[in-house]
Every structure is written in C-alpha cells, then in structure tokens.
Amino acid sequence: MRCITIRQPWATLIAIGAKRLETRSWKTNYRGELGIHAGKQVDRKACETEPIRSLLAAHGYTSAEYLPMGAIVAVCRLNDCLPVMLNDGQTAWLGEGERRLEAAGQEYRFGDFAPGRYAWELTELCRLAEPIPALGKQGLWNC
C-alpha cells in the first residue's frame, strides 16, 4: 500500500471524515488505496481555531497533545488528482474537461487551493481503531 505523511491536525481531519481533499504542490498519477500517516509535526494554532477545535473535540481530541503522531491513522482511496483552476477566495474550482469539482466552505478552509496546486480526492475513508506506528517519508511511500 502507498502512504502519504500529513501534518496534524490535517491527518486527523481526514481520518474523521471532515476533510476529503488534500492539497499538494505536486500531482500524482497514482490511484488506489492510500494510507494516511500522521506526521510528528502539529500546527497547534490551527488546532485552536474553529471549526477545527470543535471537530477534534467531538472525536475526543480535546488538546493537540492527544492527536496521534508518527502513525498511520486511516486508509482511503485516492480517487483523483485534480488541478486547481480558479480560486475566488471562498470557492475553488478543480479539474478540467469532463471531471470537475468545487471546494467551498469547510473543505475550502482546510486546504491551500491556490491556482497551480492539486487537490487529491480521497474516498472510501476508513479510520483505524488503533493507529499503526510508522516512520513517515516525503512524497508517496510504501508502507
């Protein structure tokens, strides 16, 4: 299985189903099963902002210290990798040709949808009951 390392709280937001688009500066042709690895870095300021704070608390994470780190926290399917085509500051339009998506609201606030970046569409999410310790790496890696 391929994995990707993501900083906290973003990895947990994916694991709890609150974030379905992961934005990256690079695209991938890979499609299929993808492990979500929570890196060892935590954006503590993001953890204290709404709606992130409330979403985490609703799942038992009342403090950044309780977030899993250095572990695979979920498995999903990388369904597509769409270029960010346009961004008006509240909504981003993704993809070209027949396949297009919009990122708005909470999903928009949870990513960097600058034109030229890529949105990885994550589907079939399965949060792991127990995180699996693993050393993360940059890019896609085998786990």
Side-chain angles (χ1 to χ4, degrees), residues 60-137:
Y61 301 109
T62 55
S63 169
E65 277 74 41
Y66 298 125
L67 291 171
M69 292 180 274
I72 299 166
V73 295
V75 176
C76 63
R77 178 156 306 283
L78 176 52
N79 189 60
D80 210 347
C81 179
L82 302 163
V84 178
M85 303 304 292
L86 186 63
N87 181 334
D88 71 1
Q90 295 181 351
T91 303
W93 288 268
L94 316 171
E96 49 195 350
E98 294 180 19
R99 179 91 167 107
R100 294 178 184 231
L101 293 176
E102 283 186 14
Q106 177 177 290
E107 189 71 59
Y108 179 84
R109 290 191 302 274
F110 290 168
D112 178 355
F113 292 94
R117 292 180 61 85
Y118 297 89
W120 294 21
E121 182 186 24
L122 308 176
T123 62
E124 301 177 32
L125 182 72
C126 179
R127 180 180 175 190
L128 300 182
E130 290 294 325
I132 301 169
L135 294 176
K137 298 179 183 174

Side-chain angles (χ1 to χ4, degrees), residues 24-80:
R24 295 277 152 166
S25 61
W26 50 280
K27 66 180 178 178
T28 181
N29 293 322
Y30 175 75
R31 303 292 182 271
E33 193 173 45
L34 182 68
I36 302 299
H37 177 266
K40 292 187 177 182
Q41 292 184 348
V42 179
D43 183 338
R44 294 182 189 287
K45 184 176 178 184
C47 290
E48 295 303 320
T49 62
E50 290 297 340
I52 296 170
R53 186 183 64 75
S54 294
L55 285 166
L56 294 174
H59 291 273
Y61 301 109
T62 55
S63 169
E65 277 74 41
Y66 298 125
L67 291 171
M69 292 180 274
I72 299 166
V73 295
V75 176
C76 63
R77 178 156 306 283
L78 176 52
N79 189 60
D80 210 347

Side-chain angles (χ1 to χ4, degrees), residues 1-34:
M1 174 173 60
R2 307 298 297 270
C3 283
I4 189 158
T5 298
I6 300 173
R7 290 176 62 185
Q8 288 286 31
W10 317 114
T12 294
L13 291 173
I14 291 169
I16 64 176
K19 178 175 166 53
R20 297 290 181 150
L21 296 170
E22 170 62 13
T23 55
R24 295 277 152 166
S25 61
W26 50 280
K27 66 180 178 178
T28 181
N29 293 322
Y30 175 75
R31 303 292 182 271
E33 193 173 45
L34 182 68

